[in-house]
Amino acid sequence: MEDGLSSFWGPVTSTDWCEKNYVYSSYIAEFFNTISNVPGILLALIGLVNALRQRFEKRFSVLHISNMILAIGSMIYHSTLQHVQQQGDETPMVWEMLLYFYILYSPDWHYRSTMPTFLFFYGALYAVVHALFRFGFGFKVHYVILCLLCIPRMYKYYIYTKDVSAKRLAKLYVATLLLGSMCWLSDRVFCKEISHWHFNPQGHALWHILMGFNSYFANTFLMFCRAQQREWNPKVVYFLGVFPYVKIQKPKSQ
């Protein structure tokens, strides 16, 4: 949304969201949409430390790192509102979903080398095509399809998991996804009305915060399920009684 101080980055060349530009700094186009990515970075860092400390499979370390990269890319995009930076935000979103797809489906995939090879080349091809062409609506449809492909497997993990605390993580994942999607849609659909309000609820910034927690809950739930598959005796424990993480006990032979 136009208004505010002069722009350090030049004219807006990307999708512009429902937040006045350059209100607090000439270096940050959308202030709240930028800083709202910080919780996601911190949560991903916590997940990464836990995955490394307990020696989870490398896929989970890569997953947490991808969450951080995505949040950093989003910060750069919203602080500049430039087309190239928007691509640097959207392409990692697709890569991250391909990684989730691998983590969800690879345990039952009989030809183990084919899936990561296909997903790698698919992600590389998408990055090239996305860099050459603009397809805003096409990107959204493609991203939603990738998300929908992951849902059946997540549901299967949920119904086969008996642990109450792990099921609570899955419910928190769904709740943050639905609430975050409502914030995203309201910010996009009702921007004209919101622009006349005295107070902007910053729906897109709330989407960032909720998606940071959403990714953390999803990752933690998947770590629990994978630990169950490996017979590592996982438990969901709570730091300071409120913050969930997975604690495992590997057999001595591992």
Side-chain angles (χ1 to χ4, degrees):
M1 187 188 295
E2 297 296 334
D3 271 340
L5 305 174
S6 60
S7 163
F8 176 81
W9 305 106
V12 173
T13 59
S14 68
T15 301
D16 199 358
W17 298 90
C18 198
E19 179 182 355
K20 288 185 177 181
N21 300 339
Y22 299 103
V23 173
Y24 299 98
S25 170
S26 59
Y27 297 98
I28 303 177
E30 296 176 335
F31 180 78
F32 291 106
N33 286 349
T34 299
I35 64 170
S36 56
N37 287 284
V38 173
I41 296 173
L42 296 177
L43 288 166
L45 181 60
I46 292 170
L48 175 62
V49 170
N50 186 40
L52 292 173
R53 184 173 60 86
Q54 298 196 80
R55 297 183 180 179
F56 271 88
E57 292 164 303
K58 291 181 181 178
R59 66 188 69 181
F60 291 105
S61 297
V62 175
L63 181 59
H64 291 299
I65 291 171
S66 75
N67 293 155
M68 285 192 283
I69 291 173
L70 180 58
I72 292 170
S74 180
M75 290 183 74
I76 295 172
Y77 159 43
H78 286 288
S79 65
T80 63
L81 289 182
Q82 298 298 298
H83 174 63
V84 173
Q85 280 74 18
Q86 181 174 357
Q87 289 176 314
D89 173 42
E90 292 176 348
T91 299
M93 289 174 66
V94 171
W95 289 347
E96 184 181 64
M97 291 312 303
L98 295 177
L99 184 55
Y100 276 116
F101 188 88
Y102 171 73
I103 290 173
L104 283 164
Y105 287 97
S106 63
D108 292 335
W109 196 264
H110 298 295
Y111 305 99
R112 293 190 176 183
S113 62
T114 57
M115 180 182 286
T117 302
F118 171 77
L119 294 177
F120 174 82
F121 283 108
Y122 185 91
L125 178 62
Y126 176 84
V128 173
V129 173
H130 193 45
L132 296 175
F133 303 99
R134 288 195 180 200
F135 43 89
F137 180 74
F139 160 76
K140 294 180 180 67
V141 172
H142 178 239
Y143 183 75
V144 169
I145 290 173
L146 291 176
C147 293
L148 291 176
L149 287 174
C150 292
I151 289 177
R153 191 65 171 188
M154 285 288 283
Y155 180 69
K156 180 181 178 181
Y157 280 4
Y158 175 80
I159 61 176
Y160 277 94
T161 300
K162 304 302 180 184
D163 187 271
V164 175
S165 296
K167 282 183 174 289
R168 188 178 297 119
L169 287 173
K171 292 175 182 176
L172 288 170
Y173 160 76
V174 173
T176 50
L177 179 61
L178 293 176
L179 186 58
S181 298
M182 289 173 58
C183 291
W184 188 94
L185 283 171
S186 63
D187 184 83
R188 200 73 188 142
V189 175
F190 302 111
C191 184
K192 281 188 177 181
E193 290 77 5
I194 292 172
S195 64
H196 298 297
W197 295 0
H198 294 293
F199 171 73
N200 186 336
Q202 304 297 344
H204 197 76
L206 290 173
W207 153 264
H208 286 159
I209 294 171
L210 288 166
M211 287 303 99
F213 280 96
N214 176 266
S215 296
Y216 181 82
F217 293 140
N219 297 356
T220 306
F221 177 70
L222 291 176
M223 290 169 72
F224 180 93
C225 294
R226 182 57 176 165
Q228 270 193 329
Q229 292 172 347
R230 300 297 301 271
E231 298 182 348
W232 288 346
N233 191 28
K235 294 180 181 178
V236 177
V237 295
Y238 293 85
F239 179 68
L240 297 178
V242 293
F243 197 79
Y245 67 96
V246 178
K247 186 175 182 180
I248 60 175
Q249 187 175 356
K250 292 184 179 181
K252 292 184 179 180
S253 59
Q254 298 185 41

